[in-house]
Structure formats: C-alpha cells, structure tokens
Amino acid sequence: AQSVAQPEDQVNVAEGNPLTVKCTYSVSGNPYLFWYVQYPNRGLQFLLKYITGDNLVKGSYGFEAEFNKSQTSFHLKKPSALVSDSALYFCAVRDWSTNAGKSTFGDGTTLTVKP
Amino acid sequence: DGGITQSPKYLFRKEGQNVTLSCEQNLNHDAMYWYRQDPGQGLRLIYYSQIVNDFQKGDIAEGYSVSREKKESFPLTVTSAQKNPTAFYLCASKRGQGLADTQYFGPGTRLTVL
C-alpha cells in the first residue's frame, strides 16, 4: 500500500525568504512523486514530478523538489518566496502496487507568504 | 484551448434530490477520475475510468454513480443515498495507465445541500 504525509498543516514565511513544504511517503516499490498547488476555489495545478534520475527536480514558477530515498521524502522548495505563492500545496505518490496509476494525496499544506 | 472543464461551478441541491456534475476533456486522455475534497482533508477518490465503457469504484463510491459513454466525458451523479454530499468535487484526467503520467485537474464544482 502507498501513503503520503504532509506533517505541517500550515507554513508561514516572509516574502523573499526561502520556503520548504515537507512531504514524506511510503511505498512498496519505486515511488512516483508529484506536487500540485491549489488556489481558492480552483482545481489543482501541476508543479513538478519525480520519476527517476536526478534527485533535484525543477518545476513551474521557480519551485523545485528534492527526492531523498533514504529519508523517503520529497520536500518542495523555493529560494525566494512571493506573496503570490500563498496557496494550498498537495504532495501525491504512486507506485507499482496500485491499479491504473492511482495517486494517493496528502492532506495538504497551506502556505502563507507575508509581505 | 485544451483542458478539462467542469460545470456548473456552483450547485445547490435539496435533500433527496439527485444531481449530475459534468466533466469534459479535450486532451484525448484515456483515464478520468473523480475526487471529493473536504476542508483539511486530501483528495479522496470516488470513481475512475481507464477507458471508455469501463469504470471502477474508488475509496468512497457509496452514494455516487458514473458513466463513461464517450472518451471525453465522465459525468458524476450524486444520489440521495450520499449522506453528506456537501463538498468540492474535482475531475481529473491523464493520458493512460502509466505511473509517470501527469494528472490534470478541472476547476471543480462546489456542491451545497440545502
């Protein structure tokens, strides 16, 4: 079975500071990991994914994420936060134990960037 | 403009009524999904379809029904048997069954039971 945890319900950072949104996962085989962002009353937008290869994945809007197999983590990062980054962020995982490539989503982390 | 559309954006239902939420995609994707989102919770899978004329129950299918008669359409019916239907409903699609394929989401429908 696969699972994903986002240990922080809320992350607050000041504009211009680096941000990290944490995600840890549990899978039977090799993980496929995804980050999405959701603005109020909108659908989820894809940010980036890790499939294989380089552990540092770069995505949209200046976000990146680092895959760490030993710590089973896939934390989302950005060097300099913007107020417009304030949103709800979801981590998702898949592995070979599921049917139809179904994803398991974390409960989400609300990021607030203050000016 | 390619993408996934959901309608209506807001939907109000009286208790005891069935309602149908629309989801259409022009991405030529084989797989489509319905999720339910409640405050403070992640997305929970209601139903999914890997190909036309085929669909499977997700984790919380009770009180819901779907059809997949066309590749581009995957409507969700919320029946009167669903005890707590007030939620935000998200439709998604992806190219196929591949684990690496990205899911793309529609803008969502907010259903409120009066």
Side-chain angles (χ1 to χ4, degrees), chain A residues 30-68:
Chain A
N30 292 322
Y32 294 75
L33 295 153
F34 301 79
W35 275 104
Y36 291 87
V37 60
Q38 185 181 34
Y39 296 98
N41 293 310
R42 304 289 293 276
L44 275 65
Q45 295 178 31
F46 169 71
L47 281 178
L48 51 80
K49 64 182 176 183
Y50 171 81
I51 304 303
T52 187
D54 196 346
N55 289 343
L56 184 64
V57 179
K58 294 189 183 297
S60 305
Y61 311 119
F63 284 95
E64 58 189 30
E66 186 166 11
F67 172 65
N68 188 317

Side-chain angles (χ1 to χ4, degrees), chain A residues 36 38 41 43 49 94 100 107, chain B residues 33 37 99-102 106 110:
Chain A
Y36 291 87
Q38 185 181 34
N41 293 310
K49 64 182 176 183
R94 301 175 196 152
D107 288 344
Chain B
Y33 304 79
Q37 185 179 16
L99 290 170
D101 292 341
T102 299
R110 187 166 295 281

Side-chain angles (χ1 to χ4, degrees), chain B residues 71-114:
Chain B
K71 187 175 186 178
E72 59 270 23
S73 178
F74 191 41
L76 173 74
T77 296
V78 184
T79 75
S80 57
Q82 169 49 235
K83 297 191 187 318
N84 185 20
T86 294
F88 191 51
Y89 290 87
L90 288 162
C91 179
S93 72
K94 71 181 179 71
R95 186 177 56 183
Q97 298 179 38
L99 290 170
D101 292 341
T102 299
Q103 269 183 320
Y104 294 93
F105 285 81
T109 292
R110 187 166 295 281
L111 173 62
T112 303
V113 173
L114 304 173

Side-chain angles (χ1 to χ4, degrees), chain B residues 15-16 23 27 32 51 64 70 85 87 99:
Chain B
E15 284 195 24
C23 177
L27 300 168
M32 297 187 75
I51 200 165
Y64 299 97
K70 297 186 295 183
L99 290 170

Side-chain angles (χ1 to χ4, degrees), chain B:
Chain B
D1 226 7
I4 303 175
T5 57
Q6 291 185 243
S7 61
K9 187 173 176 65
Y10 297 97
L11 186 57
F12 298 91
R13 189 194 92 173
K14 294 181 180 178
E15 284 195 24
Q17 283 183 335
N18 293 354
V19 290
T20 297
L21 282 59
S22 170
C23 177
E24 303 276 332
Q25 54 98 1
N26 61 5
L27 300 168
N28 200 33
H29 285 173
D30 284 320
M32 297 187 75
Y33 304 79
W34 274 105
Y35 292 93
R36 171 180 171 139
Q37 185 179 16
D38 294 284
Q41 298 189 37
L43 277 64
R44 292 186 288 168
L45 183 64
I46 305 172
Y47 268 97
Y48 63 101
S49 168
Q50 299 175 59
I51 200 165
V52 175
N53 293 321
D54 185 50
F55 51 83
Q56 288 81 40
K57 293 181 178 180
D59 301 319
I60 56 164
E62 185 176 350
Y64 299 97
S65 66
V66 293
S67 63
R68 186 84 187 277
E69 297 176 1
K70 297 186 295 183
K71 187 175 186 178
E72 59 270 23
S73 178
F74 191 41
L76 173 74
T77 296
V78 184
T79 75
S80 57
Q82 169 49 235
K83 297 191 187 318
N84 185 20
T86 294
F88 191 51
Y89 290 87
L90 288 162
C91 179
S93 72
K94 71 181 179 71
R95 186 177 56 183
Q97 298 179 38
L99 290 170
D101 292 341
T102 299
Q103 269 183 320
Y104 294 93
F105 285 81
T109 292
R110 187 166 295 281
L111 173 62
T112 303
V113 173
L114 304 173

